[in-house]
């Protein structure tokens, strides 16, 4: 059963002014009770635009499925698979958070089927994160310890108080502790490419599985095995877009030649690569492109005005550009070359702070328009 409900239809805790999930859409499996229900209410309280709850209410079927690990593995795998497919097709970057268990990181004296299924969830998260990272999709898991949900009480045939007493040693003393809420919220809120560098982080409330596993040093020198082989259309359309972009900018150069300026500058080649070859990358976001292009170009002009030409201006401008992109979360590598281009390019000095808008940012408007055409062709005309 799946039910879609807007956040204002879920009875929630007292109003929270810190809306960490404002405007986001969440799909929560097992959301009718226990941790799933608490998560749904928590997300709604933090401003989620819509919370979609999917749950199986057939108790007998649930017991059977749990005994063979179907809910823990097959259901979660299907959720990740189809959610990721929809996100990739619509070029949506976001987070998938799976609920695991400390049983996924150690053995147990009983309930081997449950322990096996939770180990499988950790493997699913690690594999999915490696495969989906290139699309800007983060996959993480939160692994709580004992939580006194109705299913736990039924499975262990113990009271809520008995389960809470057993869990008290690691600070799990309520049906849904604040520490668990913060862990889930943090993983749902974080948005963008890149993963935690830790394999596991032990917290008072349990174990949080990382979305990636540290790879040997030499693996970074090899092609990514999880990346599918590109089709011919994946190769031809970005290349055609780059050709068209440089042809248009070259024609504009001919028009602007009498004024001694040029639209075709070296960093735009790197911009074309980012926009056309990997449009789902964070560096291809319009915010990143224009914030970094304008900010880094202005930093180059400022450094030249203060230090003049020379190594000090180049070093200070590059360092300030990286700091600017990091602080504003607008990392766009091609923009880091703009300060050096201005400092060493005498023909740009007369532009002064107009260099922040021309030629880099102005040319990127044209490149972004071409990017939309390239993406449409890649999605609709394949060969």
């Amino acid at each position: 059963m799946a039910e879609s409900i807007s956040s204002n239809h879920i009875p929630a805790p007292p109003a929270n002014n810190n809306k960490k999930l404002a405007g986001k859409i969440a799909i929560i499996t097992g959301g009718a009770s226990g941790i799933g229900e608490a998560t749904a209410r928590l997300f709604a309280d933090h401003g989620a635009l819509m919370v979609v709850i999917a749950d199986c209410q057939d108790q007998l079927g649930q017991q059977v499925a749990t005994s063979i690990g179907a809910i823990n593995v097959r259901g979660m795998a299907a959720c990740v698979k189809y959610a990721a497919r929809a996100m990739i097709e619509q070029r949506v970057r976001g987070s998938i958070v799976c609920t695991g268990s400390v049983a996924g990181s150690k053995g147990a004296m009983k309930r081997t089927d449950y322990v096996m299924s939770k180990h499988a969830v950790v493997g699913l998260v690690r594999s999915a994160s490696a495969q989906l990272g290139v699309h800007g999709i983060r996959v993480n898991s939160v692994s709580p310890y004992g939580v006194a949900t109705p299913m736990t009480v039924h499975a262990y045939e113990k009271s809520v108080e008995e389960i809470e007493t057993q869990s008290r040693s690691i600070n799990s003393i309520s049906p849904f502790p604040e520490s668990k809420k913060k862990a889930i919220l943090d993983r749902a809120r974080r948005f963008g490419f890149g993963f935690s560098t830790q394999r596991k982080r032990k917290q008072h409330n349990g174990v949080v599985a990382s979305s990636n596993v540290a790879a040997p040093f030499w693996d970074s020198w090899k092609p990514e095995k999880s990346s599918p082989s590109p089709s011919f259309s994946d190769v031809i359309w970005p290349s055609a877009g780059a050709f068209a972009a440089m042809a248009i900018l070259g024609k504009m150069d001919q028009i602007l030649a009498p004024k001694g300026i040029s639209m075709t500058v070296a960093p735009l080649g790197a911009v074309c690569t980012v926009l056309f070859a990997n449009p789902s990358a964070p560096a291809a976001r319009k915010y990143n492109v224009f914030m970094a292009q304008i900010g880094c170009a202005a930093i180059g002009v400022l450094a030249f005005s203060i230090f003049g030409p020379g190594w000090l201006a180049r070093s200070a401008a590059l360092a300030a550009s990286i700091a600017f992109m990091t602080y504003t979360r607008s990392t766009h590598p091609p923009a880091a070359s703009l300060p050096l281009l201005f400092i060493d390019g005498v023909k740009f000095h007369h532009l002064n702070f107009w260099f922040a808008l021309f030629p880099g940012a102005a040319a990127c408007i044209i490149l972004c328009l071409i990017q939309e055409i390239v993406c449409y062709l890649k999605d609709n005309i394949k060969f």
Side-chain angles (χ1 to χ4, degrees), residues 34-35 99-106 111 114 118 142-153 155-156 158-180 203-207:
I35 295 176
T99 301
S101 168
V102 291
S105 61
K106 61 182 182 181
R111 299 207 64 191
Y114 179 81
K118 288 302 182 182
V142 177
S143 298
Y145 188 64
V147 181
T149 64
M151 186 176 72
T152 304
V153 171
Y156 286 94
K158 295 182 179 180
S159 67
V160 172
E161 291 74 18
E162 289 176 310
I163 293 176
E164 289 179 351
T165 300
Q166 292 178 353
S167 304
R168 195 168 283 129
S169 61
I170 57 171
N171 199 32
S172 180
I173 57 175
S174 68
F176 200 54
E178 290 299 322
S179 51
K180 287 186 177 65
Q203 299 181 343
H204 291 300
N205 63 304
V207 179

Side-chain angles (χ1 to χ4, degrees), residues 61-315:
Q62 188 173 4
Q63 291 174 356
V64 173
T66 301
S67 69
I68 61 174
I71 288 179
N72 290 336
V73 183
R74 296 182 62 184
M76 195 167 294
C79 181
V80 172
K81 174 182 177 180
Y82 291 105
R85 178 179 296 177
M87 293 169 76
I88 292 172
E89 289 177 352
Q90 299 179 37
R91 298 202 296 275
V92 174
R93 296 169 55 249
S95 299
I96 298 175
V97 183
C98 301
T99 301
S101 168
V102 291
S105 61
K106 61 182 182 181
M109 296 300 295
K110 57 183 179 179
R111 299 207 64 191
T112 304
D113 53 349
Y114 179 81
V115 174
M116 288 173 59
S117 70
K118 288 302 182 182
H119 273 74
V121 169
V122 176
L124 168 67
V125 168
R126 289 174 174 168
S127 296
S129 66
Q131 296 167 20
L132 299 176
V134 68
H135 300 288
I137 300 174
R138 295 169 58 88
V139 184
N140 283 279
S141 70
V142 177
S143 298
Y145 188 64
V147 181
T149 64
M151 186 176 72
T152 304
V153 171
H154 175 76
Y156 286 94
E157 298 181 347
K158 295 182 179 180
S159 67
V160 172
E161 291 74 18
E162 289 176 310
I163 293 176
E164 289 179 351
T165 300
Q166 292 178 353
S167 304
R168 195 168 283 129
S169 61
I170 57 171
N171 199 32
S172 180
I173 57 175
S174 68
F176 200 54
E178 290 299 322
S179 51
K180 287 186 177 65
K181 292 181 181 180
K182 184 178 185 300
I184 293 176
L185 271 177
D186 285 345
R187 278 151 189 80
R189 178 167 58 97
R190 289 174 187 170
F191 188 77
F193 181 74
F195 307 108
S196 167
T197 56
Q198 295 175 306
R199 295 189 183 186
K200 293 179 183 177
R201 290 181 297 207
K202 288 191 176 181
Q203 299 181 343
H204 291 300
N205 63 304
V207 179
V208 176
S210 168
S211 64
N212 204 1
V213 183
F217 169 77
W218 54 86
D219 275 9
S220 63
W221 295 82
K222 304 175 183 177
E224 189 177 2
K225 294 181 180 179
S226 61
S227 298
S229 299
S231 64
F232 183 67
S233 55
D234 290 334
V235 175
I236 197 66
W237 290 128
S239 302
F243 180 88
M246 288 300 106
I248 293 172
L249 294 179
K251 187 63 178 178
M252 296 181 69
D253 284 346
Q254 294 178 355
I255 299 173
L256 297 172
K259 297 183 179 181
I261 54 178
S262 172
M263 288 284 286
T264 309
V265 292
L268 295 180
V271 175
C272 286
T273 303
V274 172
L275 293 180
F276 304 152
N278 195 6
S280 62
R285 296 185 66 219
K286 306 302 185 293
Y287 168 81
N288 292 44
V289 172
F290 289 100
M291 177 65 78
Q293 287 279 334
I294 295 172
C296 293
I299 288 171
V301 178
L302 184 61
F304 179 79
S305 302
I306 297 174
F307 301 110
W311 68 268
L312 184 57
R314 298 189 194 96
S315 302

